[in-house]
Amino acid sequence: MRLLIVWCPDWPVIAAAAAENLLPHIPAAVARGNEITSCSAIARTEGVRRGMRKRQAQERCPELKIFEADPTRDARLFEPVAAAVEELAPGIEVIRPGLIAVAAQGPAGYFEGEENAAERLVDHVAQTTGVEAQVGIADGLFAATKAAHRGVIVARNRSAEFLAPLGIQELTEPDLVDLLRRLGIRTLGAFAQLDERKVADRFGGLAVQAHKNARGLDERPLAKRKPVEDLEVTQHFDPPVERVDQAAFAAKALAERLHAELNERAQACMRLGIHARTEHGEEVHRVWRCAEPLTPKGIADRVRWQLDGWLTNNTLTAGVHLLRLVPEEVIDAAALQLGLWGHDAGAEKAARAFVHVQGLLGPDGVLTPVLGGGRGPEDQVRLVPWGDEKTPRHDPDQPWPGRLNGPSPATVKSQPATLTDAAGQDVVVTGRNDLTGIPHRFALNGGPSLDVAAWSGPWPVDERWWDPETARRAARMQVIAGETAFLLVREDGRWAVEGVYD
Amino acid sequence: MSRSATATLVALGVNPASELTETTADHATGRVLPVRGELADLLPWGGLRRGSTVSVGGSTSLLLALLAGATATGCWAAVVGLPHIGVLAAAELGVAVHRLALVPRPGGDPAAVVAALLDGIDLVAVEATRSLSPSLARRLSARARQRKAVLLAFGAWPGADVELQVVGSRWEGLGRGHGKLRDQALTVRASGRGAAARPRTVELDLVGGGRIEFLHSKGELAWVP
């Protein structure tokens, strides 16, 4: 999917400086504990770097102002930026404070071209909030984020080429980066060239994701599972929530409820919609997108941040009296990596074994079936690699006239066959769906000819008759020959066995 | 105890001297995985005892049906080999396919794959092929015993605790030019070691074609017999 990413560089520092009214010419940094986690551009020119010890940073830059890390502050001050972007590009998703994703198609269409859209967004954010932002566009979240860091637009289908020359440290997993470096792999391109199977084998599941990223593939298949319509949790507040500490308390309770609901459905949330309504009838909502399934704490944090953002930036004219959480996108919890879902010990053990086998055979070595709509026995089943998203091939909710009811064949394998009448003539299905003879002998794949003991059909298969490209005219029959029952299909003037009821 | 009473007990599959004896405690402690009602008679333990190896011959449907009871009650199953199994038929026979994984092409060293699966999966069905030599097969059965998993072999398997061979199969419902396949009647010859030592022939109706319902909340399927 083509994504537009709006990135505000050094956001924690910008937010901290804004909160403390720090003058822009004073170098600043944010530290968690003793480690610098973010620094301003000015501080960087003085030699301050991320990952440094506080003291080391102060040695290099004595006038450095250091703030303690505060995710709530980051989120609260980011809300006006998100709102500004949303004015031009509806449907935004906040990935974290400082980073917003939106489908590129909308703004690019509206502003006639991606360059134009990017320019307009940067201008608009600067004018309304005074924050400097950069925009990047590319296919896939990982590539688009890297594009935003560089403020470039990557042409369609060129994400892999764009990523190839970038250094291996662009991957977000420090242990993996360290390991790859020691193996002499210094660019994303070099990493991308490794065989996926070997990556799975040597480095495990996290590395497979990183490898997908490095190849410019989307981190998740786009076929999203639409969440259940009625799944949402709501909370009325009487009196309305007006203060941040009240918001934190409300967020925690609501998050646990949502998590429990998802848990019951064996799902995990990847995109969270937060909706609020005030006493004055104002409605606001914001979507948070996450790279990892949200834990109860992750949900609570985002709800708290968002409420905090709305309450302190005068977006709302009154307290919040209704809060609603809607999981916008969920994934199957059973398909997740271990450790994220520690409830079902059996599923966890099974997942470990499957991943082990994927290590031996490659990701496509272990498949899980997903049943869906369709007519034929093969149509209704889709096999997806273990760990991938389980979406059926066809919509199970549509009616499928012409679908065979009753038992399905236990073996589904297409093989040529012959069906002849007593005179040894091929039994043909006419245009009016009649047989030209009484089935007498049957042979499978050139094998011995068997007496037909019973038969039924033909039942017409008229698939996609409205589309000449994929239209399929065929007829099915059930035949018992030599004590075995077969499912036959007549297509293009030939009989074939579609399945065996063995 | 009179002789006839002992004989009756043996006929019922109760043999106190054998490790294969079914006890109520086995069921209660989860040492026996449940199977569909009509299959319980085939097995000396009334289900699939953890750690055992059961070989199935002559019918894919029977193999699939053996996976149904356990997966429906929360166990996980894997099928190694057998690239053409009908997943739809499995679902209709009651297999919870969302707890089923397929390894259709186990590669050059299938024993390593089966061994890895036995470590974490309750029920592993394996196609007996030439690349699994008798000694490898025995080792895998030992692994299953050690890991408290059930090894279901499709085809001849040396050292199987129970062998189920389908010797006859009859479909009901299909006539000469009318009807539809409805029920399958299988004649199964069960033999093996311990309590199953005395070969028995059992007739059973395998009622497939259960209605499959989509559960919207999970995108999963429920089986409605």
Side-chain angles (χ1 to χ4, degrees):
Chain A
M1 181 176 185
R2 213 156 161 71
L3 285 178
L4 184 153
I5 301 279
V6 180
W7 177 60
C8 303
D10 311 319
W11 180 253
V13 181
I14 307 281
E20 307 286 330
N21 290 320
L22 191 74
L23 293 171
H25 67 269
I26 298 173
V30 167
R32 184 176 293 122
N34 199 19
E35 188 189 325
I36 303 288
T37 54
S38 174
C39 64
S40 66
I42 276 192
R44 229 182 339 263
T45 58
E46 302 276 339
V48 179
R49 293 285 177 274
R50 269 173 64 181
M52 270 184 181
R53 302 243 150 218
K54 264 187 194 171
R55 180 168 304 166
Q56 196 186 357
Q58 276 163 333
E59 268 167 24
R60 298 218 176 164
C61 176
E63 67 272 44
L64 182 70
K65 178 89 180 124
I66 300 182
F67 301 101
E68 204 41 47
D70 180 2
T72 309
R73 176 184 62 208
D74 297 349
R76 183 177 64 229
L77 289 155
F78 193 61
E79 177 53 31
V81 180
V85 175
E86 195 172 35
E87 282 169 27
L88 297 193
I92 63 159
E93 294 167 10
V94 181
I95 297 167
R96 57 180 158 79
L99 203 60
I100 294 174
V102 61
Q105 200 188 2
Y110 190 77
F111 295 112
E112 291 169 355
E114 292 177 341
E115 286 85 355
N116 251 342
E119 231 167 81
R120 288 292 295 272
L121 276 171
V122 171
D123 284 353
H124 188 72
V125 170
Q127 275 169 16
T128 42
T129 65
V131 171
E132 272 181 50
Q134 281 178 217
V135 167
I137 302 178
D139 300 342
L141 182 60
F142 181 76
T145 309
K146 298 302 167 196
H149 289 169
R150 289 158 184 80
V152 297
I153 293 170
V154 179
R156 234 167 245 282
N157 301 323
R158 293 292 167 87
S159 284
E161 284 165 53
F162 160 69
L163 292 171
L166 305 188
I168 198 73
Q169 74 282 356
E170 300 278 347
L171 295 176
T172 39
E173 298 78 15
D175 293 344
L176 180 67
V177 168
D178 191 42
L179 184 61
L180 291 172
R181 263 215 192 109
R182 279 186 282 139
L183 291 170
I185 296 166
R186 291 178 192 284
T187 63
L188 292 181
F191 182 45
Q193 275 173 7
L194 297 182
D195 184 28
E196 182 175 11
R197 205 170 125 173
K198 287 186 180 144
V199 170
D201 211 353
R202 299 270 178 90
F203 310 118
L206 266 179
V208 172
Q209 194 49 61
H211 189 242
K212 270 190 184 160
N213 285 342
R215 283 183 297 160
L217 303 178
D218 226 323
E219 75 286 359
R220 274 178 273 158
L222 255 180
K224 285 178 218 148
R225 166 92 64 83
K226 196 91 184 113
V228 261
E229 267 167 33
D230 59 349
L231 178 54
E232 59 171 50
V233 292
T234 53
Q235 175 79 51
H236 288 269
F237 300 107
D238 195 16
V241 168
E242 280 171 346
R243 289 200 328 265
V244 173
D245 56 333
Q246 294 172 321
F249 187 71
K252 190 154 176 291
L254 206 53
E256 304 222 316
R257 263 175 57 201
L258 178 67
H259 192 257
E261 289 268 347
L262 286 165
N263 222 338
E264 220 161 78
R265 292 165 156 86
Q267 290 172 335
C269 183
M270 301 297 287
R271 284 197 305 163
L272 176 69
I274 304 171
H275 302 252
R277 197 192 302 155
T278 66
E279 288 170 297
H280 295 170
E282 295 157 300
E283 298 237 14
V284 280
H285 94 278
R286 177 78 68 230
V287 178
W288 285 78
R289 180 185 178 122
C290 323
E292 280 169 7
L294 283 169
T295 57
K297 185 173 180 305
I299 298 173
D301 276 348
R302 282 160 182 82
V303 175
R304 182 164 50 89
W305 294 343
Q306 191 57 57
L307 278 176
D308 201 349
W310 284 328
L311 291 172
T312 43
N313 289 303
N314 299 325
T315 316
L316 304 174
T317 58
V320 172
H321 89 121
L322 177 75
L323 188 61
R324 197 153 57 94
L325 301 188
V326 185
E328 300 268 338
E329 184 186 344
V330 294
I331 59 167
D332 234 8
L336 294 177
Q337 286 293 328
L338 299 175
L340 299 170
W341 213 258
H343 297 282
D344 185 347
E348 214 175 286
K349 256 174 73 187
R352 205 176 294 137
F354 293 147
V355 170
H356 184 179
V357 174
Q358 282 181 318
L360 296 171
L361 300 175
D364 295 340
V366 183
L367 306 169
T368 41
V370 188
L371 299 192
R375 292 183 181 84
E378 206 162 352
D379 253 17
Q380 296 173 54
V381 178
R382 186 170 160 246
L383 298 176
V384 297
W386 169 258
D388 274 11
E389 232 168 315
K390 295 181 171 183
T391 31
R393 190 196 307 268
H394 301 299
D395 186 354
D397 293 335
Q398 271 178 34
W400 294 98
R403 185 204 300 225
L404 279 184
N405 293 318
S408 297
T411 300
V412 179
K413 186 184 179 187
S414 195
Q415 305 169 78
T418 56
L419 187 68
T420 52
D421 60 16
Q425 295 292 311
D426 183 26
V427 174
V428 175
V429 180
T430 67
R432 304 183 60 182
N433 218 30
D434 293 321
L435 295 177
T436 57
I438 294 172
H440 182 65
R441 306 282 284 178
F442 164 84
L444 176 64
N445 208 0
S449 161
L450 305 166
D451 271 328
V452 174
W455 75 90
S456 193
W459 301 292
V461 183
D462 222 358
E463 286 178 6
R464 301 189 64 85
W465 47 267
W466 60 90
D467 181 355
E469 287 284 307
T470 57
R472 179 174 181 207
R473 259 193 71 78
R476 289 199 171 92
M477 278 186 80
Q478 287 177 338
V479 167
I480 296 180
E483 294 208 334
T484 310
F486 298 92
L487 177 62
L488 264 60
V489 61
R490 175 83 178 183
E491 198 169 8
D492 300 330
R494 272 188 297 273
W495 286 108
V497 164
E498 205 172 13
V500 186
Y501 299 88
D502 66 334
Chain B
M1 192 184 279
S2 76
R3 198 171 155 252
S4 67
T6 316
T8 315
L9 279 177
V10 171
L12 287 169
V14 179
N15 183 349
S18 164
E19 56 148 352
L20 298 173
T21 303
E22 169 206 357
T23 65
T24 335
D26 281 348
H27 283 272
T29 55
R31 282 173 65 195
V32 173
L33 305 183
V35 293
R36 293 171 44 136
E38 68 261 42
L39 303 178
D41 289 348
L42 286 175
L43 300 157
W45 322 286
L48 295 163
R49 211 188 64 147
R50 285 186 178 273
S52 65
T53 301
V54 176
S55 80
V56 180
S59 168
T60 313
S61 304
L62 180 59
L63 181 80
L64 296 178
L66 281 167
L67 299 175
T71 54
T73 51
C75 290
W76 286 76
V79 178
V80 181
L82 293 159
H84 303 292
I85 63 158
V87 175
L88 203 56
E92 289 165 355
L93 285 164
V95 178
V97 295
H98 60 277
R99 278 193 287 273
L100 174 73
L102 309 176
V103 185
R105 282 167 197 84
D109 188 6
V113 171
V114 176
L117 290 171
L118 287 172
D119 284 350
I121 314 294
D122 308 285
L123 204 55
V124 182
V126 181
E127 185 180 17
T129 58
R130 261 191 223 113
S131 51
L132 286 165
S133 66
S135 68
L136 271 179
R138 285 213 172 77
R139 247 187 279 162
L140 290 174
S141 287
R143 178 92 162 207
R145 198 151 43 241
Q146 186 199 347
R147 299 289 179 183
K148 304 270 181 288
V150 176
L151 185 63
L152 274 179
F154 191 66
W157 193 270
D161 297 300
V162 178
E163 283 174 33
L164 304 175
Q165 180 66 40
V166 174
V167 291
S169 128
R170 202 180 63 251
W171 274 97
E172 303 287 343
L174 200 64
R176 295 186 64 82
H178 58 85
K180 249 179 198 179
L181 295 176
R182 200 175 57 232
D183 301 319
Q184 188 179 20
L186 293 177
T187 313
V188 185
R189 193 172 174 278
S191 57
R193 308 187 310 194
R198 219 168 56 106
R200 292 173 307 142
T201 304
V202 179
E203 292 246 359
L204 59 92
D205 289 321
L206 209 52
V207 187
R211 202 149 49 83
I212 298 175
E213 282 199 349
F214 290 86
L215 293 180
H216 287 265
S217 60
K218 291 190 185 171
E220 283 169 3
L221 306 151
W223 179 65
V224 184

